[in-house]
């Protein structure tokens, strides 16, 4: 029997302290568990691809196997965003978690068969994209549970718990595969997926106030702020997921004898754990200033990684890459804090300071999160394809690194112009006054 909560007022301090905090925390915990498993399945191929030497695929073909889950996952984030509003957050979490069984089972069945064709591996990798869609539905759902002044930390914790799934895969899978064989990369996660779906069924809730017409939600696609933040999110989350999934194969290509499998999990773990700090800093200082200077640091970081990639030292390369993971994680938290702040500021400006205006802003933000997270996740596909094409054309990742650096410069400029600029606002407005 579906569990629906009809009365939900998180921005009312009395309601929050008496009832809201406890219920929100419970839903956040089990949302994190399900989302964590989504990320593990989504990024499985970042390790599986490095263990497929017997198939004699080219480096570019292997990067396709790593990139394809990112592409499909990013596309699925749009419909997944509307799932909680249409069916209920608890109900949709159960379904989205259960769907992870499909790519896990297929991987376990086929990967040890030397006659499995490359195109079938592409299909299975694409189905791993189910895990990427989970992020959008989870974040859209949790947005409704928390008051405006706590969303940065709540969304940061929810996202970080999911993002750590990348690190889990890269820490656990080399050990599991080494002990039990490549097929275990699929079978290992099946009981955990079943537990996550069961926990969502028994311990999560649906909110009546979160219900919305998908057609009305899609109206945010016509708003400029949705696409500006989508571009910036490519720079933060797209970088995180792209670098996380590319690092093992990139390291193997550049430093074949280096112990990359032992330390590959460190970067995604750093980026995941630092994400709530990005949300916290954004809550205190404003998301836009934190995001602005974070992009400057990312531009410097990618130049350091490029220099280290030509140094001949894997450990220099590894340490330089940690700066990219660190800044991508901070930027993930700060940009996600900006999304509800932007749409709620717009709603208040249009409708006044009222509970109705705040709820309208949350609905707008929840819908925007899906589009923004979908476009942002494309960065994972683009980064892996950039590396693949760079190796195919030049035998080196240098062209890709230089492209990434130029992209971060454009993100810095766009953030300044739209969200922190205080000059010329009488001619062209900015949102600097709203401290988003």
């Amino acid at each position: 029997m579906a569990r629906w909560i009809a009365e939900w007022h998180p921005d009312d301090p009395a309601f929050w302290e008496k009832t809201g905090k406890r219920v929100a925390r419970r839903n956040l915990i089990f949302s994190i568990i399900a989302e964590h498993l989504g990320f593990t399945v989504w990024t499985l191929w970042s390790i599986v691809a490095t263990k497929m030497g017997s198939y004699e695929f080219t480096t570019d073909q292997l990067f396709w196997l790593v990139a394809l889950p990112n592409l499909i996952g990013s596309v699925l984030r749009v419909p997944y965003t509307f799932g909680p509003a249409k069916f209920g957050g608890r109900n949709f979490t159960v379904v989205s978690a259960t769907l992870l069984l499909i790519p896990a089972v297929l991987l376990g069945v086929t990967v040890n068969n030397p006659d499995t064709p490359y195109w079938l591996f592409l299909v299975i990798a694409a189905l791993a994209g189910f895990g990427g869609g989970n992020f959008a539905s989870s974040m859209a759902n949790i947005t409704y549970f928390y008051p405006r002044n706590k969303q940065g930390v709540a969304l940061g914790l929810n996202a970080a718990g999911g993002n750590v799934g990348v690190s889990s895969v890269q820490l656990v899978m080399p050990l599991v595969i080494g002990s039990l064989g490549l097929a275990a990369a699929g079978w290992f996660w099946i009981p955990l997926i079943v537990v996550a779906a069961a926990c969502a069924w028994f311990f999560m809730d649906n909110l009546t106030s979160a219900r919305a017409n998908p057609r009305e939600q899609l109206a945010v696609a016509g708003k400029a702020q949705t696409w500006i933040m989508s571009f910036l999110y490519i720079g933060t989350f797209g970088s995180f997921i792209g670098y996380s999934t590319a690092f093992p194969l990139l390291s193997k290509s550049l430093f074949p004898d280096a112990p990359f499998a032992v330390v590959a999990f460190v970067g995604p773990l750093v980026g995941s754990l630092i994400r709530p700090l990005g949300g916290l800093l954004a809550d205190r200082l404003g998301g836009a200033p934190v995001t602005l200077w974070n992009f400057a640091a990312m531009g410097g970081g990618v130049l350091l990684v490029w220099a280290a990639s030509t140094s001949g030292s894997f450990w220099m390369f590894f340490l330089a890459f940690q700066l990219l993971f660190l800044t991508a994680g901070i930027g993930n938290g700060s940009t996600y804090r900006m999304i509800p702040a932007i749409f709620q500021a717009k709603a208040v400006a249009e409708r006044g300071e009222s509970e109705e205006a705040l709820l309208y802003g949350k609905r707008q933000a929840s819908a925007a999160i899906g589009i923004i997270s979908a476009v942002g996740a494309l960065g994972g596909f683009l980064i892996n394809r950039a590396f693949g094409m760079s190796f195919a054309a030049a035998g080196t990742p240098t062209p890709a690194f230089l492209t990434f650096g130029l992209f971060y410069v454009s993100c810095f400029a766009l953030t300044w112009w739209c969200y922190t600029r205080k000059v010329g606002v009488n001619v062209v407005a900015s949102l600097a006054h709203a401290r988003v």
Side-chain angles (χ1 to χ4, degrees):
M1 186 175 185
R3 291 166 26 149
W4 288 90
I5 297 177
E7 293 294 326
W8 189 252
H9 310 286
D11 288 291
D12 178 348
F15 175 86
W16 177 251
E17 290 299 325
K18 181 180 179 181
T19 304
K21 184 192 298 185
R22 174 177 51 82
V23 175
R25 185 186 300 119
R26 171 163 48 78
N27 278 270
L28 176 61
I29 289 170
F30 293 104
S31 174
I32 288 173
I33 292 172
E35 189 191 343
H36 181 91
L37 269 297
F39 267 85
T40 61
V41 172
W42 192 26
T43 56
L44 266 178
W45 285 88
S46 67
I47 295 299
V48 172
T50 68
K51 305 293 185 180
M52 299 182 72
S54 60
Y55 288 92
E56 298 183 353
F57 295 144
T58 67
T59 299
D60 192 36
Q61 284 179 310
L62 292 173
F63 268 116
W64 264 113
L65 292 174
V66 178
L68 201 55
N70 290 319
L71 175 63
I72 302 303
S74 66
V75 172
L76 286 177
R77 285 185 170 194
V78 175
Y80 269 53
T81 296
F82 306 128
K86 179 69 174 177
F87 304 106
R90 170 248 198 184
N91 297 347
F92 196 78
T93 301
V94 173
V95 172
S96 62
T98 303
L99 286 173
L100 300 176
L101 293 170
I102 298 173
V105 170
L106 289 176
L107 175 60
V109 169
T110 61
V111 77
N112 273 347
N113 182 356
D115 296 323
T116 302
Y118 179 68
W119 67 264
L120 183 54
F121 283 130
L122 288 174
V123 171
I124 299 171
L127 290 172
F130 281 138
N134 285 17
F135 178 84
S137 58
S138 179
M139 295 294 273
N141 182 45
I142 292 302
T143 297
Y144 289 101
F145 279 94
Y146 280 83
R148 181 168 48 167
N149 64 346
K150 298 184 184 299
Q151 285 183 354
V153 173
L155 292 175
L157 288 170
N158 191 51
N163 291 172
V164 169
V166 185
S167 186
S168 297
V169 163
Q170 297 182 348
L171 173 63
V172 173
M173 281 298 96
L175 301 175
V176 170
I177 292 170
S179 302
L180 303 175
L182 195 53
W187 299 122
F188 178 85
W189 302 104
I190 290 174
L192 300 176
I193 293 169
V194 172
V195 169
C199 286
W201 177 261
F202 288 110
F203 302 116
M204 292 185 69
D205 302 288
N206 304 309
L207 294 180
T208 302
S209 61
R211 303 208 69 164
N213 187 320
R215 183 175 298 178
E216 293 176 0
Q217 288 185 295
L218 276 173
V220 299
K223 297 182 180 295
Q225 298 299 329
T226 301
W227 299 104
I228 294 170
M229 288 305 302
S230 295
F231 187 85
L232 298 182
Y233 203 55
I234 291 176
T236 56
F237 180 76
S239 293
F240 170 79
I241 197 65
Y243 294 143
S244 295
T245 52
F247 181 82
L249 189 54
L250 180 63
S251 298
K252 182 179 181 179
S253 301
L254 293 173
F255 307 97
D257 299 323
F260 60 88
V262 178
V263 295
F265 76 95
V266 174
L269 182 62
V270 168
S272 300
L273 295 181
I274 204 70
R275 181 167 184 158
L277 177 60
L280 180 63
L281 289 173
D283 280 341
R284 294 184 177 181
L285 305 175
V290 175
T291 299
L292 178 75
W293 294 110
N294 192 70
F295 276 129
M298 293 186 77
V302 80
L303 293 179
L304 286 177
V305 172
W306 167 60
S309 71
T310 62
S311 69
S313 169
F314 168 75
W315 292 111
M316 285 184 62
F317 177 73
F318 170 77
L319 290 174
F321 231 112
Q322 302 318 297
L323 177 59
L324 280 181
F325 283 118
L326 182 73
T327 51
I330 292 173
N332 282 342
S334 63
T335 50
Y336 239 74
R337 168 61 176 81
M338 291 172 67
I339 298 169
I342 288 168
F343 284 94
Q344 289 182 27
K346 289 281 190 181
V348 168
E350 294 171 1
R351 303 186 175 207
E353 187 81 35
S354 66
E355 184 175 345
E356 180 186 354
L358 292 176
L359 180 57
Y360 173 78
K362 283 186 178 182
R363 286 174 175 164
Q364 293 276 290
S366 176
I369 278 173
I371 296 173
I372 292 166
S373 67
V375 177
L378 280 174
F381 172 76
L382 296 173
I383 283 176
N384 279 283
R385 288 309 307 136
F387 283 135
M389 290 187 292
S390 290
F391 275 104
T396 171
T398 295
F401 284 130
L402 295 178
T403 301
F404 301 155
L406 291 174
F407 179 74
Y408 295 139
V409 170
S410 67
C411 289
F412 178 92
L414 187 62
T415 304
W416 173 80
W417 180 263
C418 294
Y419 302 118
T420 67
R421 175 179 53 89
K422 296 181 180 179
V423 297
V425 293
N426 293 330
V427 180
V428 180
S430 83
L431 280 174
H433 67 281
R435 294 189 73 249
V436 299

